[in-house]
Amino acid sequence: MSEIKQGYKQTKVGIIPEDWEVVKLGKIAPLQRGYDLPTDSVQEGIYPVVYSNGILRFHNEYKAKAPGIVTGRSGTIGRVTYVEDNYWPHNTSLWVTNFYDNNPKFVYYMYINLDLTKFSAGSGVPTLNRNDVHIQDISLPPLKEQEKIAEILTTWDKSITKQTELLRAKELLKIALMQKLLSGEVRFDGFSDEWEEVRLGEIGQIVTGTTPPTDTKAYYENGQFPWITPTDINDKKDICKSERYLTSLGLEKGRFIPKGSLLVTCIASIGKNAILTVDGSCNQQINAILPSEKNNINYLYYFIEYKKDYLIKFAGQSATQILNKKSFSSLKIKLPSLSEQQKIAEVLSLADDEINLLKNELEELKLQKKALMQKLLTGEVRVKV
């Protein structure tokens, strides 16, 4: 057993500072079920209505005074919302009824650190039993230290909020750039040629993926060729990894897609797209535009992203939207010269690089805050008060 350093003590929740105490969560921040809204309630109001997944609307009455802490009772479990105005906790939520002279913001971070998802029950709609939460033992610092911990973590939250706003602004700027550059509204110096209207099927070979029999191990086991499905495609432009891979035999049985191809989802989640950066394959929910020297594949990626709503509309409004190979191939597109395509793609790629940098910085901030929160809320790192 490791030696307990001076100023700390061993407890049932672990080693904590000597001046901290161990208490049941229900004794310092008990939860109560929220309230149904009146059936004749109106959308307009000044008081936030807090559901299991946050503030979704406003009402003209409130049930609880600020500050408040609300978390999910049914549906979304694990999200904790801090409310700075008088509010209406919805029936789908649980709210803290009394802070017993503890710092509300500290209690908020304590609830986040507890990770309420582990108390979720039910095979259908996830639910949270407040009694399971109330009996949890937690370590509680003196009020002055609570206030200082809350102040530090609030500073991190402000940095995360600022970074989120910067990211959103950059994403909006990219959308504006796409609208102007991909429509030809704004042209670069030196380009004045009229754009040519063609169909997608005319700019390169289009193939639809397939699914090799999934019960044949020889097609998948220890495979090295990515077999892309719509769930593998996210918001990244390039893709080289997948949940499942094909062997050489699987690739022969499936559909070979060369690197540099543009993959576009055409069933259900219409319009998701990515550029395959290695040789691989895809399933039948994806149409692939194979690379051509006549066009810039990065430009085509941004054009499909820009026209995603058009693709969805073209797919129709059936229960499961489908944009088959024939329909996909017939979609019209206005193309500038190859050199102008390259210039447009370069500018939008730079915007993507800036967005990805901001995203990475945001994720790093969140990870740093999570690590700091764990150390502060256990007393591993002390603060001066």
Side-chain angles (χ1 to χ4, degrees):
M1 184 175 179
S2 60
E3 184 179 347
I4 300 174
K5 63 181 181 180
Q6 187 175 0
Y8 285 78
K9 62 185 178 183
Q10 181 70 52
T11 71
K12 54 186 172 182
V13 298
I15 298 174
I16 64 173
E18 285 184 342
D19 56 342
W20 290 31
E21 58 181 321
V22 176
V23 297
K24 298 290 184 185
L25 187 51
K27 296 294 184 182
I28 66 162
L31 297 170
Q32 177 177 303
R33 182 171 176 164
Y35 305 91
D36 281 324
L37 282 173
T39 55
D40 60 347
S41 67
V42 293
Q43 193 77 11
E44 296 78 13
I46 61 172
Y47 302 110
V49 180
V50 191
Y51 292 73
S52 63
N53 55 345
I55 298 171
L56 299 183
R57 59 185 294 190
F58 292 84
H59 189 51
N60 50 15
E61 297 178 31
Y62 67 88
K63 284 287 189 179
K65 291 187 176 181
I69 297 172
V70 183
T71 190
R73 180 188 66 81
S74 66
T76 301
I77 303 299
R79 176 167 178 169
V80 183
T81 302
Y82 187 81
V83 193
E84 297 181 334
D85 302 298
N86 294 339
Y87 64 101
W88 185 297
H90 191 262
N91 182 42
T92 58
S93 72
L94 296 168
W95 60 288
V96 174
T97 59
N98 197 328
F99 294 101
Y100 293 103
D101 296 324
N102 291 291
N103 182 271
K105 205 62 180 287
F106 172 85
V107 173
Y108 163 70
Y109 289 116
M110 184 181 63
Y111 261 109
I112 291 177
N113 195 54
L114 188 60
D115 184 15
L116 295 170
T117 57
K118 63 187 178 185
F119 302 111
S120 175
S123 57
V125 178
T127 58
L128 179 66
N129 187 326
R130 61 177 179 162
N131 295 324
D132 294 335
V133 180
H134 287 169
I135 62 174
Q136 297 304 308
D137 291 308
I138 58 102
S139 55
L140 187 70
L143 180 60
K144 290 294 184 183
E145 194 163 358
Q146 290 181 31
E147 293 170 348
K148 188 64 178 179
I149 290 171
E151 179 185 329
I152 293 170
L153 293 175
T154 298
T155 300
W156 279 87
D157 273 342
K158 288 179 179 178
S159 296
I160 289 171
T161 298
K162 183 177 180 181
Q163 187 74 8
T164 302
E165 291 170 349
L166 286 172
L167 173 60
R168 181 55 182 159
K170 185 62 67 175
E171 289 173 335
L172 290 173
L173 176 59
K174 178 194 167 185
I175 291 172
L177 277 172
M178 290 174 66
Q179 289 173 339
K180 293 181 181 297
L181 295 177
L182 295 170
S183 66
E185 179 184 343
V186 171
R187 307 284 299 273
F188 294 107
D189 291 341
F191 297 105
S192 57
D193 296 345
E194 188 172 343
W195 291 17
E196 180 184 7
E197 184 174 79
V198 297
R199 297 184 185 277
L200 280 180
E202 298 177 280
I203 66 174
Q205 183 183 358
I206 295 177
V207 299
T208 303
T210 61
T211 300
T214 56
D215 57 354
T216 304
K217 288 186 177 181
Y219 295 157
Y220 295 91
E221 200 168 68
N222 299 319
Q224 66 270 34
F225 298 99
W227 179 64
I228 308 297
T229 68
T231 55
D232 295 313
I233 300 176
N234 49 40
D235 58 350
K236 297 290 178 63
K237 182 177 68 174
D238 297 328
I239 189 168
C240 63
K241 297 180 180 180
S242 59
E243 185 176 338
R244 301 188 70 178
Y245 290 78
L246 296 179
T247 62
S248 296
L249 283 175
L251 193 60
E252 290 177 10
K253 189 68 176 178
R255 184 82 69 196
F256 173 73
I257 307 294
K259 66 179 180 181
S261 297
L262 181 64
L263 308 180
V264 184
T265 58
C266 290
I267 296 180
S269 52
I270 306 290
K272 291 169 61 178
N273 75 134
I275 297 172
L276 187 64
T277 59
V278 295
D279 291 341
S281 187
C282 62
N283 76 351
Q284 62 275 11
Q285 292 176 278
I286 294 173
N287 285 322
I289 304 175
L290 275 53
S292 166
E293 295 180 357
K294 296 180 180 179
N295 293 291
N296 183 283
I297 203 70
N298 288 287
Y299 174 86
L300 295 177
Y301 165 83
Y302 288 116
F303 184 86
I304 293 295
E305 185 181 356
Y306 171 60
K307 286 291 188 179
K308 182 177 179 179
D309 289 343
Y310 174 62
L311 267 66
I312 293 173
K313 182 178 179 181
F314 205 86
Q317 301 300 319
S318 58
T320 301
Q321 291 185 305
I322 298 175
L323 189 58
N324 60 35
K325 177 182 173 182
K326 182 179 179 181
S327 298
F328 182 70
S329 300
S330 67
L331 292 177
K332 293 181 179 180
I333 173 175
K334 281 196 170 184
L335 282 177
S337 65
L338 178 58
S339 55
E340 190 170 2
Q341 290 180 39
Q342 292 170 336
K343 182 66 176 177
I344 291 172
E346 286 172 7
V347 171
L348 294 177
S349 291
L350 284 174
D352 266 345
D353 290 342
E354 293 175 352
I355 287 171
N356 289 331
L357 177 61
L358 289 173
K359 283 182 178 179
N360 291 337
E361 291 174 347
L362 178 59
E363 288 307 308
E364 183 62 27
L365 279 173
K366 289 179 178 179
L367 288 174
Q368 290 173 356
K369 176 202 163 185
K370 184 177 180 180
L372 180 62
M373 185 164 59
Q374 175 65 22
K375 292 179 183 295
L376 290 176
L377 295 178
T378 59
E380 181 181 344
V381 171
R382 302 297 300 274
V383 296
K384 291 183 180 181
V385 295

